[in-house]
């Protein structure tokens, strides 16, 4: 070899870090894009939370998917054999395999940086698989590729956005009927929230401990033990929320509502009269009468009982109807399948605020899932280089070292802070309008899909999961607005990702082979 193994490992480490940087700038934006789009988090708050949970997810969950990417796409055992005959020396075989890792990293990294420059949210899973195929075709030919595994990945690209979209639709429809369409959405939401916290935290903890990392001894836990641990943790969080956080959250929402109404009335009174005397807050009841609210508790009670103007766009003639005829927040019963999934009633502002804290938690959940699944895209080829340098074998059964997982997560976090804003707004704002309730449904549905795939060792596309959820929930919201032009551009970027990454990797492999001939 022109370079020794150590030099190749160093070059691979540098290129892997650049690839991780590109993934952070492009794909990591999916985890917190909806939270920024719904205005629940600022951009810098999203950066901080994403850095924490992406790193935790990479270190705790990333080892299993990384092993699948490293050992499942290319048949290393057949490398060097043609028609059952060994055609190259061990030194040549090792040289080509190590050069192949460099080619995969280079091809994938070049495409990801180019896509980020054009603000295209592409799939890094597509990129790494396409780059691996490109290297294998140049190195030996199609017989080197596990086509059955590739077909499985192809199927996951189609199934993952559908499953994620269905999951998010089920979650949002449940919230719509249990909370948003109820007579008193805030009261209904306060009753449902403890169960949601129990569900989210239980599933998250189960995903960590079931077949968890060996260095934490979690791989020795049985299924029953994992269920007990996750259920106990979820119940504890639900009880803490119901007893301590729920009263504070309710008071915070109502106090903010009172301040907004008071500010508007003071502004109106100031325009109407120059008198310094401030009138007490007046609230209109369904029967047209006025009451004076003298205490904060009375103000909060009136806010809970007051009717909300319901603007319906469901009539066939397209007219909008505003009505105070009902004494509470109500909506006509669903008379068709479309009206069952798509509500005519806009989200209640109080209930919408109720889901803000929950969306932040699910955003962290999504970041954790993304770190567990997509760290493999950056470091899988580097793992092969390091293990060959350490063990002199690319067929090592050793688990992925934790320090390489941490190295990849640092690169992703750096890319997020530097260029993450370029893709965040595409996912969070340009596809459809995101609210805290719909954002929670999108994030939790996509995160559940990604985490299940991560535990099964299936490298699905988190980009497609998130986009599929955003589009699906956008279709069943009251305004059901989806910007199909943006979705078309994203879909086109998915189509060209695999062949472009494969061509870049193949070109790099041909160049390296010519240099090492």
């Amino acid at each position: 070899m022109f370079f020794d193994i150590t030099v190749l490992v160093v070059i691979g480490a540098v290129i892997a870090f650049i690839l991780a940087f590109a993934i952070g700038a492009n794909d990591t934006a999916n985890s917190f894009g909806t939270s920024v789009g719904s205005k629940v988090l600022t951009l810098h708050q999203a950066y901080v939370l994403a850095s924490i949970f992406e790193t935790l997810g990479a270190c705790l969950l990333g080892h299993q998917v990384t092993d699948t990417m490293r050992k499942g796409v290319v048949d290393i055992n057949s490398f060097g054999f043609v028609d059952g005959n060994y055609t190259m020396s061990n030194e040549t075989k090792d040289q080509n395999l190590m050069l192949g890792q460099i080619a995969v990293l280079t091809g994938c990294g070049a495409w990801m940086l180019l896509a980020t420059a054009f603000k295209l949210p592409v799939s890094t899973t597509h990129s790494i698989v396409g780059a691996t195929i490109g290297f294998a075709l140049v190195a030996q030919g199609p017989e080197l590729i596990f086509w059955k595994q590739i077909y499985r990945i192809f199927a996951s690209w189609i199934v993952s956005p559908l499953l994620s979209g269905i999951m998010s639709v089920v979650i949002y429809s449940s919230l719509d009927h249990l909370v948003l369409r109820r007579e008193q959405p805030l009261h209904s939401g306060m009753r449902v929230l403890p169960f949601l916290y129990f569900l989210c935290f239980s599933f998250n903890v189960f995903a960590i401990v079931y077949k968890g990392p060996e260095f934490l001894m979690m791989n020795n836990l049985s299924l029953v033990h994992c269920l007990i641990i996750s259920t106990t943790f979820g119940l504890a969080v639900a009880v803490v929320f119901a007893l301590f956080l729920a009263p504070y959250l309710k008071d915070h929402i109502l106090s903010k509502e009172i301040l907004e109404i008071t500010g508007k009335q003071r502004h109106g009174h100031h325009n109407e009269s120059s008198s310094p005397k401030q009138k007490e807050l007046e609230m209109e009841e369904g029967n047209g009468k006025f009451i004076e609210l003298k205490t904060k508790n009375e103000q909060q009670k009136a806010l809970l009982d007051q009717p909300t103007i319901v603007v319906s766009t469901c009539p066939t003639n397209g007219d909008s109807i505003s009505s105070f005829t009902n004494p509470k927040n109500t909506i006509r019963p669903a008379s068709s399948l479309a009206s069952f999934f798509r509500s005519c009633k806009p989200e209640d502002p109080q209930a919408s605020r109720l889901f803000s804290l929950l969306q932040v938690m699910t955003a962290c959940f999504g970041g954790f899932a993304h770190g567990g699944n997509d760290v493999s895209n950056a470091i899988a080829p580097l793992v092969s280089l390091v293990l060959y340098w350490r063990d002199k074998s690319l067929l090592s059964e050793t688990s992925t070292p934790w320090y390489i997982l941490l190295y990849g997560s640092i690169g992703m976090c750096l890319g997020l802070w530097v260029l993450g804003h370029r893709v965040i707004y595409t996912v969070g704002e340009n596809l459809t309008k995101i609210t805290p309730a719909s954002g929670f449904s999108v994030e939790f549905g996509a995160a559940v899909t990604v985490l299940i795939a991560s535990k099964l060792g299936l490298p699905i596309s988190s980009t497609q999961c998130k986009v599929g959820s955003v589009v699906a929930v956008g279709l069943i919201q009251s305004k059901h607005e989806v910007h199909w032009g943006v979705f078309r551009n994203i879909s086109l970027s998915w189509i060209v990702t695999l062949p472009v990454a494969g061509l870049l990797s193949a070109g790099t492999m041909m160049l390296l082979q010519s240099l090492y001939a």
Side-chain angles (χ1 to χ4, degrees):
M1 293 184 179
F2 181 74
F3 296 110
D4 61 20
I5 298 175
T6 303
V7 173
L8 285 178
V9 171
V10 172
I11 294 175
V14 173
I15 299 176
F17 191 86
I18 295 174
L19 174 57
F21 178 92
I23 293 174
N26 193 294
D27 211 16
T28 305
N30 296 321
S31 300
F32 285 82
T34 54
S35 296
V36 175
S38 64
K39 314 302 180 187
V40 172
L41 292 176
T42 65
L43 193 62
H44 287 87
Q45 288 172 341
Y47 286 165
V48 173
L49 291 176
S51 299
I52 295 173
F53 286 93
E54 290 275 344
T55 302
L56 290 175
C59 294
L60 293 176
L61 300 179
H63 64 98
Q64 190 165 1
V65 178
T66 300
D67 291 342
T68 298
M69 293 296 298
R70 177 163 56 92
K71 302 173 184 177
V73 176
V74 176
D75 185 7
I76 299 180
N77 292 314
S78 300
F79 193 79
F81 287 89
V82 177
D83 296 328
N85 299 318
Y86 200 63
T87 59
M88 63 179 67
S89 64
N90 289 333
E91 181 180 358
T92 303
K93 174 183 175 181
D94 293 341
Q95 173 181 308
N96 284 335
L97 285 175
M98 297 193 71
L99 293 180
Q101 309 308 314
I102 302 294
V104 169
L105 291 170
T106 303
C108 185
W111 166 241
M112 290 295 298
L113 287 176
L114 182 63
T116 303
F118 287 98
K119 302 181 181 180
L120 293 173
V122 299
S123 169
T124 52
T125 304
H126 289 217
S127 302
I128 200 73
V129 171
T132 302
I133 294 175
F135 134 72
L137 291 175
V138 172
Q140 183 162 320
E143 65 275 5
L144 193 63
I145 301 172
F146 278 127
W147 290 107
K148 183 177 180 180
Q149 178 72 3
I150 300 300
Y151 297 150
R152 184 173 174 229
I153 295 173
F154 285 161
S156 74
W157 295 340
I158 299 173
V159 173
S160 60
L162 293 178
L163 291 181
S164 184
I166 292 172
M167 180 72 70
S168 296
V169 165
V170 170
I171 295 172
Y172 184 77
S173 297
S174 300
L175 294 180
D176 191 22
H177 287 275
L178 293 175
V179 178
L180 302 178
R181 298 195 193 189
R182 307 296 290 184
E183 293 182 354
Q184 296 179 345
L186 184 59
H187 277 316
S188 301
M190 295 302 299
R191 290 194 294 266
V192 171
L193 271 186
F195 173 75
L196 293 178
Y197 276 88
F198 164 76
L199 184 65
C200 294
F201 275 91
S202 296
F203 188 89
N204 195 12
V205 173
F206 179 81
I208 297 174
V209 299
Y210 182 62
K211 295 182 180 180
E214 296 180 4
F215 63 90
L216 294 179
M217 305 298 292
M218 291 183 181
N219 59 311
N220 297 325
L221 295 175
S222 66
L223 176 62
V224 175
H225 290 153
C226 294
L227 289 174
I228 294 174
I229 294 173
S230 58
T231 302
T232 302
F233 191 87
L235 285 174
V237 171
V239 170
V240 170
F241 174 81
L243 295 180
F244 301 102
L245 295 181
Y248 168 79
L249 180 61
K250 181 178 178 180
D251 183 71
H252 174 73
I253 292 174
L254 295 177
S255 299
K256 190 172 183 179
E257 188 84 4
I258 293 171
L259 290 175
E260 290 181 356
I261 296 176
T262 305
K264 292 179 180 178
Q265 289 204 351
R266 286 178 177 175
H267 181 72
H269 292 169
H270 177 74
N271 293 336
E272 294 175 1
S273 173
S274 58
S275 173
K277 183 179 180 180
Q278 297 292 332
K279 297 180 180 180
E280 297 189 13
L281 179 63
E282 297 177 340
M283 302 296 295
E284 182 180 1
E285 291 185 323
N287 57 10
K289 294 182 180 180
F290 293 86
I291 59 173
E292 292 184 356
L293 304 177
K294 299 181 181 298
T295 66
K296 182 178 179 181
N297 291 333
E298 291 175 346
Q299 292 173 345
Q300 292 181 349
K301 184 179 184 301
L303 280 172
L304 291 173
D305 294 334
Q306 72 173 51
T308 300
I309 297 177
V310 177
V311 180
S312 174
T313 58
C314 290
T316 56
N317 59 7
D319 295 334
S320 295
I321 300 174
S322 299
S323 176
F324 269 112
T325 56
N326 294 323
K328 302 290 184 180
N329 293 330
T330 60
I331 188 169
R332 291 186 288 279
S335 58
S336 66
L337 184 62
S339 60
F340 176 83
F341 286 103
R342 182 180 296 160
S343 173
C344 300
K345 175 184 176 183
E347 289 187 11
D348 182 83
Q350 295 175 2
S352 181
R353 286 176 180 151
L354 192 64
F355 288 95
S356 297
L357 180 61
L358 191 60
Q359 189 185 11
V360 173
M361 188 271 290
T362 51
C364 298
F365 187 9
F368 183 85
H370 179 269
N373 189 72
D374 277 20
V375 66
S376 63
N377 296 321
I379 66 169
L382 177 61
V383 169
S384 295
L385 289 172
V386 171
L387 292 183
Y388 181 82
W389 171 76
R390 189 184 68 184
D391 302 332
K392 304 303 180 184
S393 174
L394 289 171
L395 303 178
S396 175
E397 297 296 328
T398 306
S399 298
T400 304
W402 65 268
Y403 52 85
I404 300 182
L405 294 170
L406 181 61
Y407 177 75
S409 66
I410 292 174
M412 287 195 297
C413 293
L414 182 61
L416 174 67
W417 279 85
V418 176
L419 295 176
H421 63 280
R422 299 182 66 84
V423 178
I424 280 180
Y425 293 114
T426 299
V427 177
E429 294 185 352
N430 296 342
L431 269 174
T432 189
K433 179 177 175 58
I434 301 294
T435 64
S438 62
F440 161 70
S441 303
V442 167
E443 291 174 356
F444 186 59
V448 167
T449 305
V450 172
L451 268 177
I452 291 176
S454 179
K455 301 308 295 184
L456 294 176
L458 178 63
I460 68 169
S461 169
S462 59
T463 300
Q464 289 191 348
C465 285
K466 184 59 66 70
V467 171
S469 292
V470 170
V471 172
V473 173
L475 288 174
I476 66 171
Q477 290 187 103
S478 59
K479 294 184 179 181
H480 49 85
E481 294 179 352
V482 176
H483 299 158
W484 294 108
V486 177
F487 181 69
R488 178 200 61 210
N489 294 337
I490 294 175
S491 300
L492 290 175
S493 70
W494 292 348
I495 295 174
V496 303
T497 292
L498 189 144
V500 171
L503 289 173
L504 291 173
S505 175
T508 304
M509 186 64 184
M510 293 174 65
L511 177 63
L512 292 174
Q513 283 183 330
S514 65
L515 292 176
Y516 278 76

